[in-house]
């Protein structure tokens, strides 16, 4: 059955054993998408979409009370539905990540919407499953449960050299175990990998990803979540594999390196067949006009330069945070764990008696006291596999790093 809206046979790909029509749920494959009012005509006297011809009613007095940089938002065509496609944003993203064109790019309301949509189009409720590799981002399992699909867990390698990543280091993907799980359970439709990992901060090697993509027993799709990729080595992105593999989807976001978490713009880069399926299934106007306008500005050449310079500042600051944490080790703090390839670090809090063992109770006490008495909020992650005693600390501004190190030092002395 042809995928509606997809130009036929333009995109040869590997692997030979993969057939997207066996992955997408039959009800989605046969879907006749909702046609938007703006799919056909978007100029002229627009009386086709039951919008408000008189415009919005936010009074000028309210507009002048807004910060000057927010005011241009009110000059947008807010009474009109947004574009269902946002091709100019897709074109800039395709260029930024070295892809041939807009047909390789899907936009969602944050990458969280993309994750949910991928599950909805591929995995049948009640009978089919996704595979995740804990410790990992919590939304994969939450979305799976919301959609009533099963979750198979294959933990990352939890032992080994600190922060090595690569194919066998600590927090690497256990490729052989993933393959075993796939062979044992043909109902697994999606494999979620997170690179750099949250909360591990560890990159997944492209050779591990390739090995799962090429595994003949797997007829599903590998999703590589690259929310933090701009904080890592430029060559680490799995986007470079996309034109080779039809069973790969790479998700990214403007929430982290671009500093635009509030606007909710997430991205899936994938083979045009999968992008077309996602387009056919999404809500018609998922990305709002204010979001699109800000995203387009954020993807101009000047803005990308500025983003890169802020990322390099944060990467330097990450080094300073790690050096500051190292100095607190005599107070009962372990060495940072994971690859430190994102904009956060993970550090275990140890027993006070010098045993060197991670201490979840002390970690929780320090986490709570930091938040409730010192005004510094970090994230307790001690319950995650391989993360005993850990708190995750986002790399802040210079001043924020100074404060967190000082407060953490004080609490390590007193608690
Ligand atoms: C690994 C990972 N993926 C996705 C997201 C969600 O990103 P978005 O803001 O694009 O929904 C996060 C947010 O923390 C994350 O850590």
């Amino acid at each position: 059955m042809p995928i509606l809206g997809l130009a036929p046979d333009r995109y040869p790909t590997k692997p030979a054993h993969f057939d997207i029509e066996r992955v997408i749920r039959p009800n989605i494959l046969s879907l006749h998408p909702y046609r938007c009012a703006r799919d056909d005509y978007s100029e002229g006297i627009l009386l086709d979409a039951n919008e408000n011809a008189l415009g919005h009613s936010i009074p000028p007095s309210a507009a002048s009370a807004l910060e000057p940089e927010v005011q241009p938002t009110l000059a947008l065509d807010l009474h009109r539905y947004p574009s269902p496609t946002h091709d100019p944003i897709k074109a800039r993203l395709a260029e930024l990540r070295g892809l041939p064109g807009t047909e390789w790019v899907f936009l969602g309301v944050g990458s969280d919407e993309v994750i949910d949509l991928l599950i909805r189009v591929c995995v049948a409720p009640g009978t089919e499953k996704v595979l995740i590799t804990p410790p990992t981002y919590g939304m994969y399992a939450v979305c799976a449960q919301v959609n009533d699909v099963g979750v198979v867990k294959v933990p990352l390698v939890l032992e080994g050299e600190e922060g090595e990543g690569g194919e066998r280091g600590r927090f690497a993907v256990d490729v052989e175990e993933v393959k075993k799980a796939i062979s044992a359970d043909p109902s697994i439709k999606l494999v979620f990998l997170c690179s750099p990992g949250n909360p591990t901060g560890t990159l997944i090697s492209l050779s591990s990803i390739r090995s799962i993509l090429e595994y003949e027993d797997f007829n599903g799709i590998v999703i590589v979540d690259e929310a933090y990729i701009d904080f890592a080595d430029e060559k680490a992105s799995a986007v470079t594999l996309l034109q080779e593999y039809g069973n790969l989807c790479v998700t990214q976001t403007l929430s982290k390196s671009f500093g635009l978490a509030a606007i909710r713009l997430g991205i899936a880069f994938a083979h045009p067949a999968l992008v077309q399926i996602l387009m056919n299934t999404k809500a018609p106007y998922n990305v709002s006009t204010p979001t699109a306008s800000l995203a387009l500005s954020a993807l101009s050449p000047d803005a990308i330069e500025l983003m890169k310079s802020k990322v390099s500042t944060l990467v330097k600051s990450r080094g300073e945070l790690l050096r500051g944490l190292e100095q607190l080790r005599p107070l009962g703090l372990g060495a940072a764990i994971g690859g430190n390839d994102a904009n956060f670090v993970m550090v275990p809090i140890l027993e006070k008696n010098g045993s060197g063992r991670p201490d979840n109770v002390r970690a929780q006490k320090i986490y709570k006291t930091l938040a409730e008495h010192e005004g510094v909020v970090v994230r307790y992650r001690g319950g995650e596999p391989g993360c005993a005693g850990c708190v995750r600390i986002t790399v802040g501004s210079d001043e924020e790093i100074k404060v967190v190190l000082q407060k953490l030092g004080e609490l390590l002395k007193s608690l």
Side-chain angles (χ1 to χ4, degrees):
M1 183 188 305
I3 293 170
L4 277 169
L6 181 70
D9 293 327
R10 277 174 50 205
Y11 316 100
T13 55
K14 290 200 299 189
H17 66 265
F18 175 71
D19 176 2
I20 191 162
E21 293 185 24
R22 285 170 57 201
V23 181
I24 304 302
R25 293 168 59 201
N27 58 315
I28 301 293
L29 264 183
S30 62
L31 184 72
H32 281 265
Y34 177 79
R35 283 198 64 75
C36 302
R38 296 294 129 80
D39 279 338
D40 300 320
Y41 308 104
S42 57
E43 278 168 29
I45 295 177
L46 296 173
L47 302 177
D48 55 333
N50 304 341
E51 296 149 334
N52 187 324
L54 304 186
H56 68 71
S57 299
I58 302 170
S61 56
S64 58
L66 291 173
E67 298 293 330
E69 58 270 29
V70 182
Q71 287 182 18
T73 306
L74 291 175
L76 296 168
D77 265 344
L78 295 180
H79 63 306
R80 298 286 179 209
Y81 283 104
S83 157
T85 56
H86 296 297
D87 286 328
I89 298 175
K90 291 182 180 179
R92 285 190 178 175
L93 283 165
E95 192 189 338
L96 177 67
R97 302 308 188 193
L99 287 165
T102 55
E103 69 275 28
W104 294 78
V105 187
F106 174 79
L107 303 177
V109 181
S111 29
D112 284 343
E113 188 199 20
V114 178
I115 292 164
D116 181 66
L117 199 51
L118 284 164
I119 292 179
R120 283 201 283 139
V121 302
C122 295
V123 194
T127 54
E128 294 185 325
K129 300 186 185 125
V130 300
L131 184 149
I132 64 170
T133 61
T136 193
Y137 181 49
M139 281 302 279
Y140 314 139
V142 170
C143 288
Q145 188 165 348
V146 167
N147 288 292
D148 193 21
V149 311
V151 178
V152 173
K153 296 180 184 175
V154 178
L156 297 174
V157 176
L158 299 179
E159 307 296 329
E161 286 296 300
E162 277 300 343
E164 277 300 304
E167 273 160 81
R168 268 194 298 279
R170 194 175 189 199
F171 297 135
V173 173
D174 196 333
V175 174
E176 288 317 307
E177 287 301 316
V178 168
K179 288 182 179 174
K180 267 193 226 162
I182 287 169
S183 297
D185 192 342
S187 73
I188 294 172
K189 300 290 282 293
L190 299 178
V191 170
F192 281 99
L193 305 176
C194 191
S195 179
N198 176 6
T200 63
T202 302
L203 279 168
I204 296 172
S205 72
L206 295 187
S207 57
S208 296
I209 295 168
R210 236 182 232 281
S211 177
I212 301 171
L213 289 169
E214 290 184 358
Y215 187 51
E216 290 201 3
D217 280 2
F218 185 44
N219 285 307
I221 292 173
V222 177
I223 294 153
V224 182
D225 182 339
E226 294 189 348
Y228 300 97
I229 196 67
D230 291 321
F231 299 102
D233 185 331
E234 226 176 301
K235 293 194 268 309
S237 173
V239 164
T240 53
L241 305 180
L242 275 170
Q243 289 180 75
E244 230 179 303
Y245 294 100
N247 54 347
L248 172 65
C249 175
V250 178
T251 63
Q252 295 185 359
T253 177
L254 296 196
S255 296
K256 311 294 180 181
S257 54
F258 284 86
L260 286 169
I263 74 169
R264 313 304 300 129
L265 194 90
I267 304 131
F269 296 106
H271 187 279
L274 180 58
V275 169
Q276 188 64 52
I277 291 284
L278 295 171
M279 287 300 290
N280 292 354
T281 313
K282 76 175 178 76
Y285 307 109
N286 60 334
V287 174
S288 77
T289 299
T291 291
S293 159
L294 290 164
L296 200 59
S297 305
L299 291 164
S300 71
D302 284 356
I304 288 171
E305 278 314 299
L306 190 54
M307 175 278 277
K308 286 185 178 165
S309 103
K310 287 190 180 177
V311 164
S312 87
T313 302
L314 288 168
V315 167
K316 275 197 213 107
S317 304
R318 180 175 72 199
E320 266 150 45
L321 176 60
L322 286 166
R323 279 188 288 282
L325 291 168
E326 190 65 27
Q327 295 192 341
L328 299 180
R329 287 190 63 185
L331 301 174
L333 197 66
I337 67 167
N340 300 312
D341 284 312
N343 67 336
F344 54 81
V345 302
M346 281 274 278
V347 64
I349 289 166
L350 308 179
E351 288 177 352
K352 206 166 181 189
N353 60 15
S355 69
R357 281 191 294 269
D359 185 340
N360 272 353
V361 175
R362 188 173 181 225
Q364 268 169 311
K365 234 187 256 171
I366 287 178
Y367 155 73
K368 245 173 113 46
T369 314
L370 268 177
E372 291 173 17
H373 299 284
E374 306 294 349
V376 178
V377 184
V378 297
R379 190 96 194 262
Y380 171 72
R381 296 278 81 186
E384 299 290 321
C387 304
C390 278
V391 290
R392 193 189 68 198
I393 307 174
T394 306
V395 177
S397 64
D398 288 350
E399 182 56 26
E400 288 167 340
I401 290 174
K402 217 166 84 192
V403 174
V404 74
L405 288 171
Q406 184 205 329
K407 302 285 182 195
L408 184 58
E410 285 167 15
L411 293 183
L412 284 166
K413 279 184 203 145
S414 66
L415 291 173

